[in-house]
Amino acid sequence: MIYHPAILSLLTASTIISMMVLFAGWKGLLILRCWDLKSGSELQLQMERSTYLVSTILAYILFFHLISLFLYIFTADDLHSMFVGAMCAAGSLNANRFGYPVLMLKIVTCICAGVWLIINHADSQGYDYPLIKPKYAFLLVLVPLIIGETSLQFLYFAGLKPQVITSCCGSLFSAGAGTLSSDLAALPRVPMEAALVAVLAITCLGGILFLKTGKGGYFFAAASTLLFFIAMAALVSFISIYVYELPTHHCPFCILHREYGYVGYPLYAALLGAGIAGMGAGALMPARQQASMANVVPGIQRKLVATSVALYLLFGLVTAYLIATSALKF
Amino acid sequence: MALYTLVIFVLASLIFFVHAIKRESTTILREAPEMVVQRQLAGRHELIPIDYIEKIRSIRGVDKVEARLWGYYYDPVFGANFTVMVPETKQLAPGRIILGRGVARTQRISTGDMVTFRGATKASLLMTVQEVLDYQSELVTSDLVLVSRSDFQELFNLPQGHATDLAVTVANPDELATIAAKIADRLPDTRPILRSEILRTYESLFDWRGGMMTVILFSAILSFVIFAWDKASGLSADERREIGILKSIGWETSDVLLLKFWEGMAVSLTAFLLGTNLAYGHVFFFSAPLFEPALKGWSVLYPEFRLEPAIDFLQLAILFFLSVFPYTAATILPSWMAATVDPDAAMRT
Amino acid sequence: MIRLANVVKTFNSGKPNQFTAVDDVSIEIRPLNLTVLKGPSGSGKTTLLSLIGCMVRPSSGRIFLHGIETRFARHNESAGSFEITSLPERFLNEIRRSTFGFIFQQFNLIKGISVLENIMLPAYPTGENHTALHQRGMGLLERFDIKRHAPSKVEWLSGGELQRVAIARALINNPSILVADEPTAHLDSRLSHEFMKIVSELKSKGKTILIASHDPIVYDSEIADTVVEMRDGRITGRGHEE
């Protein structure tokens, strides 16, 4: 365990977030069990009031979780000098087996919290709480995810031993090391570029089709989810090497550094935003059947799809710009 | 509000200070030799014979080996410890010394003055101050006294043919670990120390100290959070009445929550800005008078210097998570309770 | 029009201090009329007002709104009426904000902010353009002859002025129904008569008005179309002066 102020603050934040989500989950459980809209009883009124509390809590959780995601990467980056062989966050995260799972869980929980808030927003537009049950069932899925993330994060920091020799981005994200990250890096550049462009085009077309006709919502959601993963893989496999202008450097964290103009932030922000909006639009598809939702949901979905498409295009543009201005040419 | 600002101020000072000091020491150590070889005798640091230089130089990959002479001098008059060194780059004539700021300050001397040192053989050495070192990175050079090789040997009565330790330069930095292992193998009574190891030790030392301070401050944060909770939940009758009126004239729970959110934001933002700015001034213009004793070295000669301003996202994010976040979290439930006053409450009074 | 069918409101149900404030009330509030709820204090007038005004939900029974437009109920417009009994608070509020204007016994103005701010408060959650709102607020102040007080704090105003501010605030969202709970309880006779004059003006301009009061100036007023008498949470009589 290292007494680094950043570690302490991350642990504090996660503990508080966990407590908040536990509380929200408990309220959610109560709502799932006792909800009866027809009743004017005080219990029902109490539960309706607690929905405000739960959505406030979730909004805060999403906000703080996003910051803690970046703080986590930053902390790992700052700690790299403690580990032999670590040159950036990639190395520190590899210092024990919990580093990467925590990062993954943080991303997943951010997306889940975002999608939950989208569903919640739609639900609050319906006069009979049409999505209340699925919404709180989803919340109950989120609870163990966040608790798990907090525990793993604790294990990760508790298990940090400064003298551990780790492998850093050079070896971790270089082709042929046999790990998931190296497999990502080993993905051939040209097919990956082609795949990214193709899926980006399909997603945009799907989005435009949806905006025009209101059809193909599931298709768009699937495409944008796929695009999210492909874009993540593309960051490791080829976008990074254009940024670093070094054909062997695949690290997805160094692009957050000042040396590269903080270009990682717009890229990651656009990706996360686009992913959440796209998946949220898909998650709202079943709600189109509900009477009270029928004239609200399509409007929300259109906004989400438009946001998602715009952010993916922004991602594409930034990437294209990076490739065009890179000194690295193939 | 004042308490909030104070908590942020103290925390921010601490975090900025630790960060700046870490950077400072990293900058200094960047100029340190890649590897230092010390001799150990019964587990303690011993003088190293000069002929070890040749033995190490014969190892393949070693570029340069230099003997270093340094030690500590206790000044009984001022009760202070100085670090005495023979400079590697500057050639000093015998009888001349260069002083660090702290030494010059305590002895109240400046360039051109004469100063006496009590030698190990009772004979005192009278020396002329040639220069006082610049304050850049004073943290480490503050207590420094640079003397010539012969003066050093006379001052400490050092046996001929010995050095304090050896600085080793390697042709290929990637080979450092291998060469260190070879040295340890060939000269079992020595201990090679890598610069990266020192750096790491320093960093974790500063982090550890900073962390310990944070842990201590944690109780302060906790009581502050309890205070925030208490304040937010103990709504005054007036405030409760106002929220009741707002609800009765058509405001909704979420509108009141939003209002409370902006209220909290305004408080947090003001406290955060005020606290961090005060801390910035405290640390970088006034050199953190509150923390110096706890966080800097143990010497009586506290370095007096300005830290290079250095703040980045990480520092601010840490601060944010240790202050604004607990505060906000503590106010969610109370503001919700305030916001869910019955709209007809205003009618029933 | 608002119609209540067998509405019951019980507080603290299931507890020893349970009590029924409104018991099995069925009533119709007709548009463009002045309806007065008359009865001693504790007779359930205020609770009935808050039920009609969408402030609270009934424990049982149903409340229907007719001919009132809302954003979300477009699809059952064909029925001409809809039930608000089990609407979530969010929607009740929306109806309340756009349909009802409230005048309270204590005026319930917020101290520390200006008269104009007080008047504009009910419109803030609608997210309306601030300049338009400001104009409307000033218009109302002018109409009630208190424009010169717009920037003053409410604590500096006299009783009559306060009352007019409260009425102006009730009108800011241009509601079709005005609800007033014991509006004359803290006014002397002159101001009470002045209040009734304003009410009759508003009525002639097409507002539906509902007043709960045990003040004869109100319930014996010639402009009252319907007087409903209440006692112990039940309606004991109604008089029509048509």
Side-chain angles (χ1 to χ4, degrees):
Chain A
M1 180 80 177
I2 299 169
Y3 276 109
H4 191 290
I7 294 179
L8 291 174
S9 72
L10 271 173
L11 292 178
T12 317
S14 286
T15 313
I16 297 177
I17 288 179
S18 289
M19 272 156 44
M20 279 167 35
V21 83
L22 260 180
F23 183 74
W26 174 65
K27 289 274 177 204
L29 205 63
L30 202 70
I31 287 171
L32 278 178
R33 288 189 44 190
C34 311
W35 186 263
D36 176 18
L37 193 58
K38 290 279 166 275
S39 156
S41 73
E42 264 144 58
L43 175 67
Q44 173 66 17
L45 290 178
Q46 265 305 318
M47 285 194 294
E48 283 178 32
R49 283 184 188 161
S50 54
T51 61
Y52 287 95
L53 181 62
V54 173
S55 35
T56 312
I57 287 179
L58 260 287
Y60 279 112
I61 286 182
L62 175 67
F63 176 66
F64 288 117
H65 225 76
L66 270 177
I67 301 179
S68 97
L69 172 64
F70 283 102
L71 180 61
Y72 182 70
I73 297 176
F74 255 79
T75 309
D77 209 27
D78 197 58
L79 288 176
H80 72 81
S81 59
M82 305 259 180
F83 306 103
V84 181
M87 283 166 302
C88 68
S92 317
L93 289 180
N94 210 32
N96 64 38
R97 67 204 149 93
F98 301 115
Y100 278 99
V102 172
L103 183 67
M104 295 300 150
L105 270 179
K106 273 194 191 286
I107 295 174
V108 170
T109 44
C110 270
I111 292 176
C112 285
V115 172
W116 192 91
L117 284 172
I118 288 172
I119 299 177
N120 181 53
H121 174 71
D123 184 46
S124 66
Q125 311 279 311
Y127 55 79
D128 56 355
Y129 292 98
L131 303 174
I132 191 105
K133 298 258 167 171
K135 186 169 80 175
Y136 282 93
F138 184 30
L139 177 67
L140 289 183
V141 177
L142 194 58
V143 176
L145 277 178
I146 288 184
I147 307 273
E149 183 245 298
T150 306
S151 333
L152 283 185
Q153 181 175 277
F154 183 77
L155 287 175
Y156 169 64
F157 287 126
L160 282 185
K161 302 268 181 324
Q163 271 74 39
V164 172
I165 295 180
T166 87
S167 47
C168 196
C169 44
S171 47
L172 201 59
F173 290 98
S174 63
T179 60
L180 172 68
S181 32
S182 68
D183 288 345
L184 284 179
L187 290 171
R189 183 180 56 86
V190 178
M192 268 312 282
E193 283 176 344
L196 181 66
V197 171
V199 181
L200 184 61
I202 291 174
T203 308
C204 290
L205 285 178
I208 292 167
L209 182 78
F210 182 86
L211 289 177
K212 280 251 159 75
T213 66
K215 289 200 182 84
Y218 282 118
F219 173 74
F220 174 80
S224 77
T225 311
L226 180 66
L227 181 55
F228 180 77
F229 290 111
I230 289 190
M232 282 287 181
L235 267 173
V236 176
S237 98
F238 71 89
I239 298 173
S240 52
I241 61 176
Y242 280 109
V243 177
Y244 308 131
E245 302 177 345
L246 206 67
T248 51
H249 196 192
H250 290 283
C251 180
F253 305 117
C254 295
I255 52 172
L256 295 169
H257 286 182
R258 187 205 308 254
E259 297 95 281
Y260 306 106
Y262 298 116
V263 71
Y265 288 101
L267 285 178
Y268 282 115
L271 259 190
L272 264 180
I276 290 175
M279 292 177 211
L284 287 181
M285 280 309 282
R288 288 163 80 98
Q289 317 300 328
Q290 301 267 1
S292 57
M293 293 264 90
N295 51 17
V296 198
V297 162
I300 301 174
Q301 279 184 313
R302 292 167 69 86
K303 275 185 209 147
L304 288 173
V305 170
T307 314
S308 179
V309 168
L311 286 174
Y312 273 133
L313 281 178
L314 177 72
F315 176 81
L317 279 177
V318 174
T319 307
Y321 170 80
L322 287 174
I323 292 178
T325 55
S326 172
L328 187 73
K329 298 275 185 266
F330 287 95
Chain B
M1 181 69 202
L3 185 69
Y4 199 174
T5 312
L6 184 74
V7 166
I8 290 181
F9 163 73
V10 174
L11 261 180
S13 301
L14 177 76
I15 289 169
F16 292 169
F17 187 72
V18 170
H19 182 63
I21 275 199
K22 260 167 70 181
R23 265 181 51 127
E24 199 90 358
S25 57
T26 313
T27 324
I28 292 157
L29 283 167
R30 199 156 287 146
E31 285 141 33
E34 287 168 322
M35 191 197 314
V36 169
V37 179
Q38 293 182 338
R39 194 162 84 97
Q40 302 265 95
L41 183 70
R44 291 180 62 87
H45 178 203
E46 253 292 316
L47 294 175
I48 192 163
I50 296 285
D51 55 359
Y52 274 39
I53 294 179
E54 278 314 307
K55 290 183 189 162
I56 291 172
R57 195 172 285 154
S58 67
I59 294 171
R60 188 192 298 273
V62 172
D63 186 35
K64 221 162 55 181
V65 183
E66 277 170 347
R68 297 201 308 172
L69 286 170
W70 57 270
Y72 299 113
Y73 173 82
Y74 179 71
D75 187 333
V77 181
F78 297 97
N81 258 313
F82 305 152
T83 305
V84 184
M85 264 181 97
V86 175
E88 283 149 46
T89 45
K90 271 188 193 128
Q91 220 43 63
L92 269 173
R96 303 223 149 215
I97 56 167
I98 297 175
L99 298 181
R101 272 272 170 110
V103 185
R105 200 170 46 237
T106 42
Q107 305 251 25
R108 291 195 193 78
I109 46 175
S110 56
T111 311
D113 290 350
M114 305 282 275
V115 60
T116 39
F117 282 90
R118 222 163 53 123
T121 49
K122 278 228 162 168
S124 287
L125 266 83
L126 190 66
M127 286 182 283
T128 317
V129 180
Q130 180 176 322
E131 191 187 334
V132 175
L133 283 174
D134 211 15
Y135 78 86
Q136 247 209 333
S137 67
E138 198 186 322
L139 183 61
V140 172
T141 61
S142 169
D143 64 341
L144 204 60
V145 175
L146 296 179
V147 298
S148 71
R149 189 171 292 267
S150 57
D151 285 340
F152 188 88
Q153 263 158 355
E154 206 179 327
L155 185 64
F156 294 110
N157 194 20
L158 194 80
Q160 284 292 324
H162 283 79
T164 315
D165 52 22
L166 304 177
V168 179
T169 318
V170 172
N172 179 3
D174 291 344
E175 302 269 293
L176 262 173
T178 333
I179 290 171
K182 275 187 192 165
I183 293 173
D185 185 48
R186 286 195 196 174
L187 305 166
D189 61 340
T190 61
R191 180 177 65 165
I193 302 163
L194 300 183
R195 179 174 59 194
S196 58
E197 278 176 352
I198 303 176
L199 212 62
R200 196 156 59 229
T201 316
Y202 261 83
E203 268 201 15
S204 51
L205 182 71
F206 281 128
D207 277 341
W208 183 79
R209 285 191 189 176
M212 284 318 276
M213 287 286 279
T214 317
V215 170
I216 295 163
L217 281 176
F218 219 75
S219 51
I221 297 172
L222 202 69
S223 46
F224 159 69
V225 165
I226 293 168
F227 165 81
W229 167 280
D230 199 53
K231 190 167 172 293
S233 54
L235 276 182
S236 67
D238 271 351
E239 240 178 315
R240 202 178 292 279
R241 191 177 154 267
E242 274 168 22
I243 291 174
I245 293 175
L246 288 178
K247 291 209 70 170
S248 71
I249 59 173
W251 282 47
E252 207 235 334
T253 305
S254 51
D255 299 322
V256 181
L257 279 175
L258 205 65
L259 180 80
K260 286 264 146 199
F261 165 76
W262 286 117
E263 227 175 76
M265 276 297 275
V267 170
S268 290
L269 220 66
T270 322
F272 195 76
L273 283 178
L274 220 66
T276 45
N277 277 310
L278 284 175
Y280 191 92
H282 172 224
V283 172
F284 297 118
F285 296 130
F286 301 102
S287 304
L290 289 178
F291 297 126
E292 260 181 324
L295 288 162
K296 279 185 192 165
W298 39 269
S299 170
V300 182
L301 300 169
Y302 288 126
E304 191 178 280
F305 66 108
R306 289 227 181 131
L307 288 160
E308 199 95 338
I311 299 177
D312 57 27
F313 168 80
L314 182 66
Q315 322 306 323
L316 292 178
I318 295 170
L319 199 56
F320 179 80
F321 267 122
L322 284 177
S323 57
V324 176
F325 181 49
Y327 175 84
T328 314
T331 51
I332 291 179
L333 198 60
S335 33
W336 171 76
M337 287 198 281
T340 47
V341 174
D342 283 319
D344 63 334
M347 277 175 95
R348 278 191 270 134
T349 44
Chain C
M1 187 180 72
I2 308 161
R3 187 162 62 84
L4 279 72
N6 309 99
V7 166
V8 177
K9 179 69 190 176
T10 310
F11 290 101
N12 304 323
S13 76
K15 291 180 194 147
N17 57 347
Q18 164 175 348
F19 95 105
T20 304
V22 171
D23 196 2
D24 197 21
V25 168
S26 298
I27 189 179
E28 270 187 22
I29 309 294
R30 284 196 240 155
L32 310 181
N33 274 16
L34 168 58
T35 308
V36 179
L37 296 177
K38 172 187 165 189
S41 56
S43 60
K45 299 190 303 285
T46 301
T47 309
L48 188 59
L49 273 192
S50 51
L51 282 165
I52 295 170
C54 300
M55 276 186 174
V56 285
R57 285 181 8 196
S59 305
S60 70
R62 313 172 89 182
I63 302 174
F64 299 91
L65 293 185
H66 299 262
I68 286 163
E69 270 179 48
T70 52
R71 177 175 57 82
F72 52 90
R74 255 169 272 148
H75 63 282
N76 52 14
E77 224 170 11
S78 54
S81 76
F82 63 97
E83 196 192 332
I84 58 166
T85 324
S86 60
L87 274 184
E89 189 200 320
R90 195 173 285 116
F91 293 93
L92 276 182
N93 247 297
E94 210 173 300
I95 298 171
R96 185 146 63 88
R97 211 156 46 207
S98 55
T99 312
F100 296 95
F102 291 88
I103 300 161
F104 305 96
Q105 188 174 349
Q106 322 265 12
F107 304 132
N108 281 350
L109 298 171
I110 291 186
K111 285 180 193 138
I113 58 174
S114 73
V115 166
L116 184 63
E117 292 273 349
N118 255 297
I119 287 181
M120 291 179 352
L121 264 182
Y124 283 157
T126 60
E128 198 188 328
N129 175 304
H130 195 267
T131 15
L133 185 57
H134 189 269
Q135 268 174 5
R136 202 142 41 87
M138 288 308 278
L140 280 169
L141 285 177
E142 193 162 13
R143 180 166 153 197
F144 290 106
D145 195 27
I146 36 177
K147 197 175 177 185
R148 62 187 183 284
H149 292 303
S152 337
K153 297 223 156 65
V154 285
E155 43 271 50
W156 302 342
L157 268 61
S158 72
E161 286 164 340
L162 283 175
Q163 179 200 304
R164 279 176 283 163
V165 174
I167 299 173
R169 183 179 65 181
L171 293 172
I172 188 79
N173 282 336
N174 200 19
S176 52
I177 306 171
L178 265 183
V179 175
D181 184 26
E182 302 282 4
T184 57
H186 294 284
L187 300 177
D188 58 27
S189 301
R190 187 180 60 81
L191 285 174
S192 301
H193 283 295
E194 195 183 301
F195 174 78
M196 288 315 289
K197 224 177 89 196
I198 295 173
V199 166
S200 87
E201 266 171 45
L202 290 171
K203 188 188 154 198
S204 65
K205 286 194 178 125
K207 302 278 181 209
T208 305
I209 297 164
L210 182 61
I211 303 176
S213 178
H214 58 266
D215 182 355
I217 296 178
V218 177
Y219 60 74
D220 288 341
S221 162
E222 56 199 29
I223 55 167
D225 300 292
T226 312
V227 177
V228 179
E229 277 189 53
M230 285 192 76
R231 190 168 280 270
D232 302 328
R234 289 171 175 274
I235 292 175
T236 50
R238 37 191 107 192
H240 288 258
E241 305 177 8
E242 277 171 70

